[in-house]
Amino acid sequence: MFQKTTANSCSNIAFIKYWGNRDAAQRVPLNDSVSMNLDHATTTTTVAFDAALNDDQVMIGDQAAGDAARARVVAHLDRVRARAKIETKARVVSRNDFPMGTGIASSASAFAALSLAATRAAGLELSERELSMLARRASGSACRSIPAGFVEWIAGSSDADSYAVSIAPPEHWELRDVIAIVSVEEKKIGSYEGHAAAQSSHFLAERLKALPTRFHRVRHAIFAKDLALLGPAIEEDALELHLIAMTSAPPIYYWSPGMVRVIQAAQEWRGNGLAVYFTLDAGPNVHLICEAKDADQIAALARQVEGVQQVIVNAPGGAARTIDEHLF
Amino acid sequence: MFQKTTANSCSNIAFIKYWGNRDAAQRVPLNDSVSMNLDHATTTTTVAFDAALNDDQVMIGDQAAGDAARARVVAHLDRVRARAKIETKARVVSRNDFPMGTGIASSASAFAALSLAATRAAGLELSERELSMLARRASGSACRSIPAGFVEWIAGSSDADSYAVSIAPPEHWELRDVIAIVSVEEKKIGSYEGHAAAQSSHFLAERLKALPTRFHRVRHAIFAKDLALLGPAIEEDALELHLIAMTSAPPIYYWSPGMVRVIQAAQEWRGNGLAVYFTLDAGPNVHLICEAKDADQIAALARQVEGVQQVIVNAPGGAARTIDEHLF
C-alpha cells in the first residue's frame, strides 16, 4: 500500500496576483489569478509513510524543519491521511533549488510537490483538479503549481470549486522570467499575514472591481503571445499588490532599495528598446519578464545592477510530476 | 506708484496632500489639504516694475530663467498687471535657500514670494486671502505658503472660494521637518503633469472618499499637538500620493532607492523608540517629522543613511512677508 514517492514541482510567478482570501482557513481567494510555472525554481520532495515511525519526520534540505514549517507540513500530511483513511506517520525530505522566503514562492512549489508525493505515497490517485485543490488548502498559490505552463486559478466560491487549470502548455510561448534576487533574507511578514491584512485596505474593493478587465487582458495577451499587451498589465497588478499591502492597517512594506533600483533599471532598458517588464511578489525580488531572445542580455544587465546578488532565468515550467530519484 | 519690493516666503510640507485638480487652469484642487511652512526652505524675490523695460527680465539665482520657468513667472506678472491695470514690464530676481526640483516645493515658496512682491511693487494691497488665491493660480500649493505656521487649504468649489488659512501659528507646536535630500536632480515629471494624470487612477475616487476622515485626524492632531496621532495619518497620505501616481495611466514613479532606504531607516529608529514619521512629496526626498527635542538626533542619524546628500532641519515657518534687503 505504501510506496516511497518523490515529486518535483515548479514555483510560479503570478501575472495577476492572489492577494486576500474569501475563506482564509481553506485559502479560497477573493479573485481569479493567473501565473506561469518557473522551470528553474523547483522543489523536490520525497515522502514515505512508515508504520515504524512514532511521529512525522520533516527535513528541509539537510536540516530538521523549524517548528512553524513542520507544523504546516504535518497539517498537510493530516489532510492526506484523512483522505487515505490512514494514521501512519511519514518521513518527508524536501529540497529547493532556489533560496527560500525571498519572494520566490517557495511554499507554492513545496506544497505542490508535497501534495503529489504524499498522496501517491499513501496510495491515492488524485485527478489534477483534486490535487490542485488539496495543494491550495496548504498554500493558496500552490494550487497553480500543479498544472503545466500558463495557469489560471479559478477563485470559485468555496473550498469545493476553487482550483487551477492550465490555459496554455509550457511550449506555447517562449517567455522568460529573469529573477533578480536582491535579498536572500527571510521576509519579515509572510504572505499569510499579508492576505489577512488585505481586507483592511480601503483600496481593496476598487482593486477587485478593476480585476476582471485586467484578467481578461492578461489571458488574451498570453493566448496572443503579445508581450506589449501583457507587460503593462502585469506591472499594474504587481504595484497593486504592494499598494494594497502598504495601505493595510498596519501597513506592510515589501519594497526595498534594491527592488526599486532594479525596477528603475528595467524601465531604462525598456526606454532603450528592450522589451522587458517587471512583476513583484510579496518580497524584495524583481521578476523581469521578457521573451527568450532577450533573456541572456537582460540577465547580464541585471547582474550589473547594484545590490543584485543572483539572477535565475526561468522558462515556462511543466506540471507537478513524480520522479524516480528519491531524496532518501 | 511703483516701488521695488522684496518678499520672503517659506516652502511648505503637506500632511494631507494636494493631488489632482477640479479645475486645472485655476488650480482648484479636488480636496482640502493641510501643511506646515518650512522656515529653512524659503524663497526671496525682488520685483521692480520699470517703464524703461521692453520685456520682463527674470533671473533665478544668478542666471536668466529657462523658458518654461520664465513663461510661468511672466504669466503670473500678467495676472498682477491685469489686477493693477498696468502694462509696465518688470525685473524679477529670485533666490532659493534650498535646491530646486527635488520634492521640496520650490514652486510653492517661489510663487508665494512673487505674489507678495509683485502685488506690492505694483502698488496693490491684497488681503491674505486674496494673496493666497492669487498665488494658487500660479502653483496650487503656493497658496499654503501665504499664511503662517500650520495651514489649511480650503479646496472650495471654484476659483472664487479656494484659498488657504492659518489654523495655528508657528509657535503653536515645536514640530520639526528634517528633510533628507536624496537627490538634487530635477525630477522627470513635474507636479503639474502628476495632478493632471491623477484623474486616470482608478483609486482616486476611493482616496477622495477616505480623505475627510483623515483630514479631521490630522487637524485634530495639530490642535492637540499629538505626534502619535499625526504620524500614521501623514504616512498613509504620503503613500497614497505615490500610489495614485503609480496607478495613473501611464504610471508615474516618484520613488527612488534612496527614498526607500531612508523610510526603512526611519521605521527602524521608530522601532527603537524614537518618535519619527515620514512624509513624501512628488519627488525623491524624505521629510522626517518629529518634535524639536529629537530633531538633532534624527538629523545626525539621517546624515549617516547611504545616499543622503544633505539634511535640512525646519521649524514651522511664518507667513509670506516683505523684507528690506533687495536682491538688486
Side-chain angles (χ1 to χ4, degrees), chain B residues 86-165:
Chain B
I86 59 171
E87 294 188 351
T88 317
K89 300 300 181 187
R91 187 168 172 207
V92 176
V93 177
S94 186
R95 201 180 296 279
N96 292 326
D97 60 2
F98 60 95
M100 288 202 308
T102 61
I104 302 181
S106 58
S107 69
S109 52
F111 284 102
L114 179 64
S115 297
L116 179 55
T119 52
R120 292 290 178 87
L124 296 168
E125 280 282 346
L126 269 55
S127 70
E128 186 181 273
R129 179 186 297 193
E130 289 170 320
L131 212 49
S132 171
M133 290 172 66
L134 176 64
R136 191 206 76 225
R137 291 175 194 122
S139 168
S141 56
C143 76
R144 292 189 310 236
S145 286
I146 297 292
F150 298 86
V151 173
E152 176 181 330
W153 178 3
I154 301 158
S157 60
S158 74
D159 178 55
D161 63 358
S162 182
Y163 58 92
V165 294

Side-chain angles (χ1 to χ4, degrees), chain A residues 16 203-217 236-237 240, chain B residues 202-203:
Chain A
I16 297 285
F203 288 119
L204 183 66
E206 175 55 32
R207 165 168 167 75
L208 295 174
K209 217 171 76 183
L211 270 183
T213 304
R214 188 180 303 147
F215 187 82
H216 179 73
R217 247 198 308 162
E236 273 175 40
D237 204 64
E240 271 192 22
Chain B
H202 68 109
F203 289 117

